Amino acid sequence: MTDTPIRLADYRPPSHLVETVSLVFRLTPGQTRVLSEIRFRPNPALPGRHDLRLDGEGLKLISAAVDGAPVTASPDATGLTLPAAGLPEGTFTFSAEVEIDPAANTALEGLYMSNGMYCTQCEAEGFRKITFYPDRPDVMAPFRVRIESDLPVLLSNGNEVASGPGWAEWHDPWPKPAYLFALVAGDLVAHSAGYTTMSGRDVALNIWVRPGDEARCAYAMDSLIRSMRWDEEVYGREYDLDVFNIVAVDDFNMGAMENKGLNIFNSKYVLALPETATDEDFARIEAIIAHEYFHNWTGNRITCRDWFQLCLKEGLTVSRDQQFSSDMRSAAVKRIEDVLTLRARQFREDDGPLAHPVRPEEYIEINNFYTATVYEKGAEVIGMLKRLVGDEGYAKALDLYFRRHDGQAATIEDWLKVFEDATGRDLSQFKLWYSEAGTPRLKVSDRFEAGRYTLEFEQLNPPTPDQPVKRPKVIPIAVGLLNPNGDEVVPTTVLEMTESRQSFSFGGLASRPVPSILRGFSAPVVLERETSPEERAFLLAHDTDPFNKWEAGRALAKDVLARMVTEGAQPGPDWLDALARVAVDDALDPAFRALALRLPGEDDMAQTLHSAGHVPDPARIHAARERMAEALAERLEPQLGALIDALAEPGPFSPEARAAGRRALRLAALGLVTRCDGGARAEAAFRAANNMTEEVGALACLLEIGRGQEELGLFETRWSRDRLVMDKWFALQILHASPDQTGATVERLTAHPAFEWKNPNRFRSVVGALSANHAGFHHASGSGYRLLADWLIRLDPLNPQTAARMSTAFETRARYDADRQAMMLAELDRILATPGLSRDLGEMAGRMRRG
């Protein structure tokens, strides 16, 4: 195993291309045999004769042959090389038989077992743990797969072409890279439906689950059908096989995987009933089902040439699933939620030692680049491109992209060239968004003279690891202007900034306007502008842009909270009164009002204070936020009871957006009233709840004030047999633990018999919740740091991917005081000193240690 970086600049085309792949799987838990026949031809782009390098890890080679003639092959730790001298000059067939051990595969990469079910996960480099193959995304071929097992359901990519007792054969006619290969075998039942595409193709739809779970698939199926219809109507993309299968798996490192025709999902993103899933669960199921389905074209039919181009498929597909969710739900609320996620995860990443461009230049372990920068910032780059070229230009470019690159492994250069050809724009400067890390800071000043209002912008691109000097980027800045009476005098206009400093003027104004800048969060930047609390309250009351209306309230709250932390101030009437008006304004979307009532998070405030030159104290932030919540509850107390009653749903539960928004506002109000009545109303709500959203919401309200132990016991008794609901039970206790009790709570719950730490969902529900409890994780004793390091060291030998992803809790260490920094460094050193540390966790800990 080597830590030598793999670099984009070193890319070379494959020496050989693959014409066809034929695989036979003889499944047994400890000794599965995989027989492969791979038809190779020399790559005509590379003259001369070349060795053939096949990737392979952890494979026991039984036999190998070229065109039927046995070859003597000696695999090394990472694969097998066939010397050019021993290969035919033209097309030839390489065949091999290998043995693998799915039952021992705890890393959940390649072929593994989950409670008796065989399952695969091959992205990014898992196929090399199944058989010898050029495991790279620019080698694409059709696959034919035969599965032999006594299990009743045997699935692979494409269409089933034959079956009999103990076997099934599948054929995928569409060329695909090995990372999209999938196989599932198990005792499963299907929730089935049908769909007729826009050209009249009938498609069989199946969601495969364990017996007993089939009643929990209806919402996922509905989401799939709506995704298929939407992709036809909005992008003109039609499904291209006779069957589309989804399988729910309990043990899965990711959310889901878009394997061609056989999507494999973490069961938490498939299974849902009102009694067991929250509104947040329903929304995520809808979004992730859509995301993986949309990959059929943006990821499968057109894939990425190499893993440096990961954002080509992921950023575009995230952008598409966000667009879909906006159409299915409230576009304004969806945009706010997406920006909250971006700031919480990607801005934090950009500001620390893990910063990297949307398209990285190098990596050690590709699994470590499935990041918020690639996904969320990658989607923001797509959104900016769409704003710059307009809806018509975007649609024209996408149509050209699908026509030009269908069946190909493409690059960011291919993607941008499509837009240049379709719209006539020069995107060479825009490409910097893909090649430079960091979050630009946009400073704004203004002046008003003789009816002309001028906005002056300066963009600053801070240095990041390996990129000390940055160039000005293209930044689309959506701006509107309001009169002092609240009327909009200049509707949303997109200003295109291309220089380090740039001014834009608006004439013919009777009075100095109030600017609404960066509407819809038109670019992933930090906006810096001196504004008064009065102006922010004005925008909260009058801005016609929903995002900036919310942003004004958020900024007002952060200003108040910052003064509470640093000066010991108390919440003033400006913020309290403004938020009180929003809370009871029935003209506003309830989901928007619920978001407006959500106080800034503690990690968000730590970053805000750090950016302002303060050293954040997690304990002071927590205490100030508690005082802030109590002040808001006291201000709103007279209205809260009536608000809760008015939002009660008279009919049966519905997961649709309007009903979910009403529940969100109702629970926000319940959380506030709980601080006033000691929990009486929340206790009643818990016992009366007929859906998981309100049951969990009421329990969280009680835990937040130090109550709810009896309710926790009732919850555990009621749901102890439901693995997904019990994940919520574990997480709730840690997320709402007081800072002084967080470590003890984690230790108690990790000793619980139901803490199955080898299951990624259960591990995240405890150890992930630890790092999400800001004040508890950063407790002055260092107990949070030690606990996280203990568990990462324990998990790493079994599941390096999950351990590496969880380690990012240490990425913010530079924000904090010297004592906390020293304790985090000590834990990173302890991790790095662990014998046999994986490349995944070793790379992440090393980068954070150096940063």
Side-chain angles (χ1 to χ4, degrees):
M1 186 176 297
T2 176
D3 289 342
T4 302
I6 298 170
R7 296 183 172 88
L8 172 59
D10 296 335
Y11 170 82
R12 298 292 181 271
S15 64
H16 294 72
L17 303 178
V18 176
E19 293 186 348
T20 60
V21 179
S22 178
L23 301 172
V24 176
F25 287 82
R26 295 171 180 160
L27 299 178
T28 58
Q31 295 176 311
T32 286
R33 289 292 177 97
V34 183
L35 290 74
S36 62
E37 289 189 0
I38 307 164
R39 191 73 174 162
F40 284 102
R41 62 183 173 90
N43 188 345
L46 296 177
R49 302 188 66 185
H50 301 274
D51 295 347
L52 172 59
R53 177 65 180 177
L54 304 176
D55 300 300
E57 293 181 11
L59 308 175
K60 179 181 179 181
L61 181 62
I62 307 300
S63 64
V66 172
D67 285 341
V71 297
T72 301
S74 299
D76 55 40
T78 61
L80 179 67
T81 298
L82 300 178
L87 297 176
E89 292 189 15
T91 303
F92 63 91
T93 298
F94 170 77
S95 57
E97 182 174 359
V98 303
E99 183 177 287
I100 56 177
D101 185 353
N105 184 357
T106 60
L108 312 184
E109 292 181 277
L111 178 66
Y112 65 93
M113 299 198 73
S114 173
N115 296 324
M117 179 197 308
Y118 292 88
C119 179
T120 56
Q121 171 54 29
C122 293
E123 187 176 0
E125 296 177 340
F127 192 77
R128 63 191 60 191
K129 297 183 177 182
I130 292 175
T131 193
F132 291 102
Y133 193 80
D135 190 6
R136 45 189 290 169
D138 57 352
V139 174
M140 304 172 69
F143 278 59
R144 190 176 190 96
V145 178
R146 177 183 173 95
I147 309 169
E148 299 176 2
S149 171
D150 58 1
L151 290 166
V153 175
L154 308 175
L155 305 172
S156 192
N157 307 89
N159 300 315
E160 188 176 39
V161 293
S163 64
W167 64 275
E169 290 187 2
W170 292 79
H171 178 236
D172 183 1
W174 299 102
K176 67 172 180 285
Y179 82 85
L180 290 171
F181 170 78
L183 178 151
V184 171
D187 182 9
L188 303 168
V189 293
H191 178 98
S192 301
Y195 182 80
T196 302
T197 70
M198 60 184 182
S199 69
R201 175 194 288 272
D202 290 329
V203 181
L205 308 178
N206 301 297
I207 298 178
W208 296 92
V209 296
R210 296 184 185 280
D213 284 338
E214 56 269 35
R216 303 166 73 176
C217 300
Y219 190 75
M221 180 63 79
D222 178 65
S223 298
L224 173 60
I225 291 170
R226 285 185 285 115
S227 302
M228 298 176 79
R229 184 179 301 114
W230 184 89
D231 210 19
E232 291 179 345
E233 293 173 350
V234 177
Y235 281 85
R237 299 298 100 197
E238 180 178 345
Y239 188 61
D240 51 10
L241 290 168
D242 298 333
V243 62
F244 187 88
N245 287 314
I246 290 174
V247 180
V249 179
D250 293 339
D251 299 285
F252 205 70
N253 284 334
M254 299 183 178
M257 179 59 205
E258 71 266 20
N259 318 293
K260 183 73 178 184
L262 178 56
N263 285 189
I264 299 178
F265 271 67
N266 188 319
S267 57
K268 71 182 292 185
Y269 299 120
V270 173
L271 305 179
L273 287 173
E275 297 81 9
T276 61
T278 64
D279 287 324
E280 184 178 357
D281 293 329
F282 280 105
R284 285 182 177 173
I285 287 169
E286 178 182 71
I288 295 175
I289 290 279
H291 179 95
E292 305 307 334
Y293 174 74
F294 296 156
H295 265 312
N296 187 61
W297 278 91
T298 51
N300 297 3
R301 288 284 288 262
I302 305 176
T303 192
C304 46
R305 186 196 70 178
D306 52 71
W307 290 119
F308 296 101
Q309 321 295 329
L310 181 60
C311 61
L312 178 68
K313 74 182 185 78
E314 294 301 346
L316 178 54
T317 305
V318 169
S319 178
R320 279 161 35 84
D321 81 53
Q322 290 175 349
Q323 188 182 354
F324 168 77
S325 294
S326 294
D327 287 350
M328 296 298 108
R329 295 172 176 266
S330 163
V333 170
K334 174 61 177 169
R335 186 59 183 149
I336 294 167
E337 291 173 341
D338 289 341
V339 174
L340 280 169
T341 299
L342 181 80
R343 287 172 171 168
R345 297 179 59 220
Q346 198 280 320
F347 278 23
R348 163 175 159 160
E349 196 167 83
D350 251 353
D351 193 50
L354 301 181
H356 62 275
V358 173
R359 181 173 70 176
E361 295 293 321
E362 64 178 42
Y363 63 80
I364 291 174
E365 173 51 62
I366 184 56
N367 289 326
N368 289 336
F369 276 97
Y370 283 75
T371 64
T373 296
V374 168
Y375 281 69
E376 276 73 32
K377 188 173 182 178
E380 292 296 320
V381 173
I382 302 294
M384 285 190 291
L385 191 54
K386 188 170 186 283
R387 287 183 191 92
L388 291 169
V389 305
D391 291 346
E392 184 177 343
Y394 178 78
K396 185 179 178 182
L398 264 291
D399 286 343
L400 179 59
Y401 179 65
F402 293 128
R403 288 197 307 272
R404 181 179 290 179
H405 295 294
D406 186 13
Q408 296 181 8
T411 65
I412 292 301
E413 285 74 18
D414 295 328
W415 165 253
L416 293 177
K417 184 68 163 59
V418 161
F419 275 82
E420 290 182 328
D421 291 349
T423 67
R425 289 187 61 112
D426 179 357
L427 295 174
S428 55
Q429 184 183 9
F430 184 83
K431 188 180 175 183
L432 294 174
W433 282 104
Y434 285 103
S435 61
E436 292 189 354
T439 302
R441 309 188 83 82
L442 198 60
K443 291 191 172 184
V444 189
S445 60
D446 60 350
R447 64 178 185 272
F448 182 69
E449 299 171 342
R452 177 165 292 276
Y453 180 70
T454 301
L455 286 168
E456 298 178 343
F457 295 94
E458 178 185 7
Q459 62 166 296
L460 304 173
N461 290 280
T464 52
D466 304 322
Q467 290 184 321
V469 179
K470 307 292 177 62
R471 292 160 287 180
K473 293 182 173 63
V474 180
I475 302 178
I477 308 168
V479 172
L481 302 179
L482 286 76
N483 261 344
N485 66 358
D487 294 337
E488 188 171 71
V489 290
V490 175
T492 301
T493 303
V494 178
L495 311 175
E496 189 171 330
M497 186 177 187
T498 58
E499 307 294 334
S500 296
R501 296 173 181 269
Q502 212 162 336
S503 299
F504 301 89
S505 295
F506 305 84
L509 301 174
S511 58
R512 184 186 186 96
V514 177
S516 172
I517 305 172
L518 210 66
R519 284 185 158 183
F521 199 67
S522 57
V525 302
V526 174
L527 186 66
E528 297 180 351
R529 176 173 174 266
E530 292 293 333
T531 57
S532 67
E534 291 77 18
E535 180 176 319
R536 287 174 172 166
F538 173 87
L539 290 171
L540 178 59
H542 298 292
D543 204 328
T544 58
D545 179 71
F547 177 83
N548 271 13
K549 187 181 189 74
W550 169 84
E551 180 82 314
R554 182 80 166 184
L556 193 60
K558 289 177 78 170
D559 284 349
V560 170
L561 187 49
R563 289 197 302 273
M564 292 176 69
V565 174
T566 60
E567 303 170 11
Q570 294 300 317
D574 289 341
W575 174 71
L576 290 170
D577 292 346
L579 207 53
R581 286 192 294 271
V582 169
V584 298
D585 186 351
D586 290 336
L588 296 173
D589 181 352
F592 176 90
R593 292 150 67 189
L595 281 172
L597 287 173
R598 187 189 301 176
L599 300 184
E602 294 176 23
D603 184 79
D604 186 10
M605 283 308 304
Q607 178 59 34
T608 299
L609 292 168
H610 175 67
S611 297
H614 299 282
V615 177
D617 182 331
R620 287 178 64 87
I621 293 172
H622 177 77
R625 191 173 182 272
E626 286 292 296
R627 294 198 309 274
M628 190 181 207
E630 289 163 3
L632 182 59
E634 184 178 342
R635 172 63 179 82
L636 285 172
E637 184 178 13
Q639 289 85 34
L640 291 174
L643 183 61
I644 292 169
D645 293 339
L647 291 165
E649 286 291 316
F653 178 93
S654 169
E656 60 92 25
R658 189 194 71 84
R662 291 172 62 87
R663 283 189 291 272
L665 181 55
R666 190 166 188 258
L667 286 170
L670 182 64
L672 292 171
V673 84
T674 301
R675 293 177 177 275
C676 300
D677 72 358
R681 186 146 193 163
E683 288 176 1
F686 176 84
R687 285 165 172 75
N690 63 359
N691 61 79
M692 184 54 63
T693 301
E694 295 189 340
E695 186 172 346
V696 162
L699 180 54
C701 291
L702 293 170
L703 294 173
E704 194 65 22
I705 64 166
R707 299 280 303 278
Q709 294 307 305
E710 181 181 349
E711 287 75 15
L712 274 173
L714 292 171
F715 192 99
E716 181 184 13
T717 299
R718 184 181 305 159
W719 298 112
S720 61
R721 295 180 181 275
D722 191 304
R723 55 197 180 279
L724 296 179
V725 177
M726 283 300 290
D727 287 338
K728 303 180 194 302
W729 181 82
F730 277 97
L732 275 171
Q733 296 176 70
I734 299 167
L735 290 171
H736 297 283
S738 69
D740 289 341
Q741 291 300 313
T742 302
T745 303
V746 171
E747 290 181 332
R748 173 173 57 82
L749 290 176
T750 53
H752 192 284
F755 179 60
E756 301 166 3
W757 61 276
K758 297 177 185 179
N759 175 268
N761 287 348
R762 188 57 49 87
F763 189 85
R764 285 188 286 261
S765 74
V766 175
V767 182
L770 164 63
S771 58
N773 184 325
H774 181 260
F777 177 62
H778 293 287
H779 192 268
S781 66
S783 60
Y785 308 147
R786 289 191 295 274
L787 276 168
L788 177 60
D790 286 345
W791 280 103
L792 295 179
I793 291 168
R794 185 174 183 183
L795 182 67
D796 183 59
L798 301 181
N799 191 330
Q801 275 193 43
T802 299
R805 288 182 181 134
M806 300 299 293
S807 72
T808 58
F810 288 119
E811 71 181 318
T812 61
R813 67 175 177 83
R815 292 178 187 168
Y816 299 100
D817 59 83
D819 287 345
R820 286 183 171 89
Q821 288 197 42
M823 288 188 288
M824 281 190 263
L825 284 173
E827 297 308 326
L828 288 169
D829 286 339
R830 184 159 67 94
I831 291 169
L832 288 166
T834 302
L837 190 68
S838 74
R839 187 171 57 192
D840 304 63
L841 182 55
E843 179 187 16
M844 296 297 279
R847 288 168 65 193
M848 289 183 287
R849 177 65 177 83
R850 293 188 298 271

